[in-house]
Amino acid sequence: MNVKDELLYDFSIKMPRLLVSGNTGILDNVKKIVYITENSIIVDHGSRFSAVSGDDLRIKLIEEERVLVTGNIRSVEFYSGKKGGADEK
Amino acid sequence: MKNRGSFLEHSVTLKVEGFEQQKLISECMRKDVPIKDIHIKSDIEMILTLMEWDYQTFLKTAKNKYRITVLRERGYKPVAKKAFGKKSTMIGMILFALILYYQSTFVSEIRIFGYESFTESEIRESLREAGLYEGCSKSVDLKTVKLHLYNDLDNIAWIGVKYIGNLAEVTIAEGTVTPKPVDKSIPCDIVADKEGYVEKTIAREGVVAALPGTYVKPGDVLISGIIPVKSTAYGTPDVNKTERYVHSAGEVYVRVPYRLNYYQEKYRDIKTPTGNCLVGFRVEIGDFKLNTANILNYYDNSVYEENKLLHVVRPIPVSLALVKIKEITVTEHERSQEEIEKEGNRQVREAIRQNLPENVQILNKSLKFSPGENIIGVAIMLEALEKIGMEKEIVIGNTTDRGTENQD
């Protein structure tokens, strides 16, 4: 990864950024919670959406555009951009 | 970022009931309200935790669309508030602090270090007489205690008393009085360090100066280190007598007489209970002392009996006892000759233990009773065979007594 790519990555504040490890998931750049149940959490990152699916999901902490999720995470999905948005596919 | 403390400081756990829970959470995110442990129970019910500072903001955000119930409060602030809010807790804590302070003003333990010739009980007894004992106030003057110990105990070189919390640490350094032996290469005499009649002298080196039967006083030469040498060469005149100096060695046994005076009571008191008695209690809490039986005691002659119920030093010195004062009548009976002799023999044993050195042979002992008006004088005569003698350096051409200086 060159410097340009790294800078673009760091300043992509409206793009989904997820870190999943075992039973913990960290979702960054979260602007809004779209849907929340015990089996699924869908969040809006501004220009895209991401979803974490699993069992017994819980939000441990919401703070400064960061959502910490715990539970049995089975899958992570990304959805295309909003209508009329730059990332619309 | 706003500094609003942490969840550990003060947090509230809420039950939120209403539709579109995600909207409420998103709104909180927008207003920068940190939320912890969000548990979605159903479509219309969730449980979450937020900091107490954000509670009002959360209520304003939720408006009247949601029913909010505070389930519990956590953090050290509500715990402290709860604790200090109760009068009984406050009183208890103040009482605890007072007890803690009060018990810190007493000595709960005394440790003694450095003693060699004295026994620990002797030193403890002396300390008690000076006012330093387990349970006494720490305000006792340590200078007075030290002074008392210096006067009471012989041959004390240094005393240190210090407090470590409630512990009093007493350190004693004993002085040494052992005479320094004269170097083997230096000529010396063996001189008497005690008076007595010479019984036997075994001179390994030197000349016997004190023959058996001689009465010697401290300082008298027993075995001389100066040996006269007479030349046997033909034609040598008598004036050419010379001397040889040696390091004297040997053993000298002397009969040392001891005369000791003791006293005995001529009469023996016989205490007869009348049957009257007083019952009370004795209580001591710190410096406060109360004995009800002593207050009410009006008997001329009485016997005090005590049954200890409680005696603790920590956290504060408390002593509780049941006391009984029995009235008695005292009558005097003259002691029989047998009793006097029995007591006399006990006094002889005590005199030997107290006054005679160890490993001596008792040659003779005699007892003489001199009855007085109320007391009987007991004169004890003892004769012991003791080994005496100490080395004293011979200083040639110098009148200064270096040997004595060294011993001092």
Side-chain angles (χ1 to χ4, degrees):
Chain A
M1 209 173 181
N2 57 33
V3 178
K4 184 190 157 193
D5 292 337
E6 270 192 37
L7 281 168
L8 282 171
Y9 179 77
D10 286 341
F11 287 97
S12 300
I13 55 167
K14 287 189 174 184
M15 294 297 281
R17 187 182 294 175
L18 269 73
L19 179 71
V20 178
S21 171
N23 290 340
T24 308
I26 299 167
L27 287 70
D28 276 325
N29 302 336
V30 177
K31 302 289 181 287
K32 209 195 295 182
I33 308 286
V34 179
Y35 182 70
I36 179 166
T37 62
E38 276 193 314
N39 302 319
S40 181
I41 295 167
I42 301 169
V43 296
D44 180 3
H45 294 280
S47 58
R48 285 192 179 188
F49 297 92
S50 62
V52 176
S53 303
D55 300 320
D56 199 23
L57 295 179
R58 282 188 189 197
I59 294 176
K60 281 301 278 183
L61 184 69
I62 296 179
E63 195 176 28
E64 293 177 2
E65 296 194 352
R66 172 172 283 189
V67 176
L68 189 77
V69 180
T70 59
N72 297 321
I73 299 169
R74 277 205 310 269
S75 64
V76 176
E77 287 174 83
F78 298 97
Y79 299 105
S80 60
K82 294 170 183 178
K83 263 189 177 178
D87 299 312
E88 187 186 355
K89 287 181 183 173
Chain B
M1 189 187 165
K2 283 184 262 181
N3 185 13
R4 288 178 292 199
S6 70
F7 283 95
L8 282 172
E9 208 170 321
H10 194 177
S11 64
V12 281
T13 302
L14 308 171
K15 185 167 86 172
V16 183
E17 291 165 286
F19 295 103
E20 295 183 319
Q21 298 151 340
Q22 69 278 5
K23 275 193 177 177
L24 179 61
I25 295 167
S26 299
E27 195 58 30
C28 287
M29 281 182 74
R30 203 180 60 76
K31 289 184 177 173
D32 202 14
V33 175
I35 305 171
K36 211 176 100 171
D37 296 329
I38 303 169
H39 184 205
I40 309 293
K41 302 279 272 186
S42 67
D43 288 345
I44 57 160
E45 187 186 332
M46 67 173 169
I47 290 167
L48 53 87
T49 305
L50 47 90
M51 288 188 222
E52 200 272 339
W53 299 269
D54 297 321
Y55 180 58
Q56 290 303 323
T57 316
F58 185 80
L59 287 180
K60 280 178 192 171
T61 311
K63 294 175 186 167
N64 57 357
K65 288 182 185 173
Y66 300 91
R67 190 167 81 175
I68 294 160
T69 318
V70 177
L71 296 178
R72 60 181 168 265
E73 289 186 54
R74 280 181 182 168
Y76 59 83
K77 273 196 173 177
V79 169
K81 202 175 168 184
K82 203 174 173 183
F84 289 104
K86 285 181 184 173
K87 278 182 188 170
S88 56
T89 317
M90 282 295 288
I91 291 165
M93 285 180 80
I94 291 166
L95 211 64
F96 177 72
L98 281 174
I99 289 169
L100 214 65
Y101 170 74
Y102 190 59
Q103 69 105 28
S104 72
T105 61
F106 294 98
V107 175
S108 65
E109 195 180 345
I110 298 171
R111 282 187 197 163
I112 303 163
F113 302 99
Y115 56 90
E116 285 170 10
S117 59
F118 296 103
T119 61
E120 190 171 333
S121 57
E122 277 175 340
I123 299 163
R124 280 187 186 276
E125 191 54 43
S126 186
L127 285 168
R128 177 173 279 279
E129 283 168 14
L132 185 66
Y133 51 91
E134 279 157 354
C136 76
S137 171
K138 273 163 80 176
S139 61
V140 63
D141 186 14
L142 294 182
K143 279 184 184 172
T144 317
V145 172
K146 283 182 191 175
L147 204 63
H148 183 272
L149 254 69
Y150 279 124
N151 291 332
D152 197 32
L153 306 171
D154 293 331
N155 194 28
I156 296 284
W158 179 82
I159 301 164
V161 184
K162 64 174 179 179
Y163 292 124
I164 304 168
N166 288 10
L167 168 79
E169 211 174 76
V170 180
T171 312
I172 286 173
E174 292 181 16
T176 173
V177 287
T178 316
K180 197 178 171 184
V182 178
D183 192 88
K184 292 275 180 193
S185 61
I186 297 168
C188 71
D189 293 327
I190 302 285
V191 296
D193 54 354
K194 216 174 215 182
E195 61 184 352
Y197 295 94
V198 176
E199 177 76 13
K200 188 167 61 176
T201 309
I202 305 161
R204 292 201 181 86
E205 192 78 56
V207 181
V208 175
L211 294 167
T214 317
Y215 182 78
V216 289
K217 287 183 285 182
D220 288 355
V221 177
L222 302 171
I223 300 172
S224 174
I226 304 166
I227 301 170
V229 178
K230 189 183 173 185
S231 176
T232 53
Y234 179 75
T236 311
D238 278 354
V239 289
N240 285 354
K241 273 183 185 174
T242 182
E243 288 169 337
R244 189 163 67 88
Y245 296 92
V246 294
H247 183 95
S248 299
E251 288 164 15
V252 180
Y253 292 91
V254 294
R255 298 160 78 100
V256 183
Y258 289 90
R259 185 185 167 86
L260 304 155
N261 290 309
Y262 282 78
Y263 295 95
Q264 284 185 25
E265 292 284 335
K266 194 172 183 179
Y267 299 99
R268 183 162 49 91
D269 291 340
I270 295 176
K271 298 167 185 173
T272 318
T274 60
N276 299 328
C277 72
L278 276 171
V279 179
F281 63 89
R282 178 183 64 80
V283 62
E284 283 184 24
I285 303 167
D287 289 336
F288 172 77
K289 290 173 185 177
L290 177 74
N291 194 331
T292 56
N294 273 351
I295 296 165
L296 303 167
N297 184 12
Y298 53 86
Y299 301 137
D300 293 330
N301 296 308
S302 59
V303 175
Y304 181 89
E305 284 177 11
E306 189 175 290
N307 186 15
K308 273 189 183 175
L309 299 175
L310 175 76
H311 181 75
V312 289
V313 179
R314 292 191 186 92
I316 53 167
V318 177
S319 182
L320 186 69
L322 274 176
V323 296
K324 201 173 185 181
I325 293 178
K326 288 180 182 170
E327 191 187 22
I328 54 161
T329 52
V330 182
T331 48
E332 281 187 341
H333 284 258
E334 196 169 342
R335 291 148 64 94
S336 66
Q337 188 60 30
E338 195 183 340
E339 276 180 307
I340 293 165
E341 280 176 13
K342 197 177 172 186
E343 177 65 13
N345 284 325
R346 193 197 61 77
Q347 285 174 323
V348 169
R349 287 196 297 275
E350 194 184 323
I352 291 168
R353 190 168 51 81
Q354 284 181 350
N355 299 289
L356 268 69
E358 285 180 10
N359 302 322
V360 296
Q361 189 185 343
I362 309 292
L363 299 171
N364 285 311
K365 68 173 181 183
S366 70
L367 278 167
K368 191 183 174 190
F369 299 101
S370 330
E373 198 174 333
N374 286 317
I375 57 165
I376 301 166
V378 184
I380 300 170
M381 285 291 294
L382 292 168
E383 197 176 41
L385 188 67
E386 288 183 35
K387 184 183 163 189
I388 64 161
M390 62 177 184
E391 291 174 347
K392 188 183 174 188
E393 189 183 337
I394 301 167
V395 182
I396 302 148
N398 189 355
T399 52
T400 311
D401 195 350
R402 273 178 60 194
T404 314
E405 277 178 2
N406 286 341
Q407 284 139 25
D408 289 340

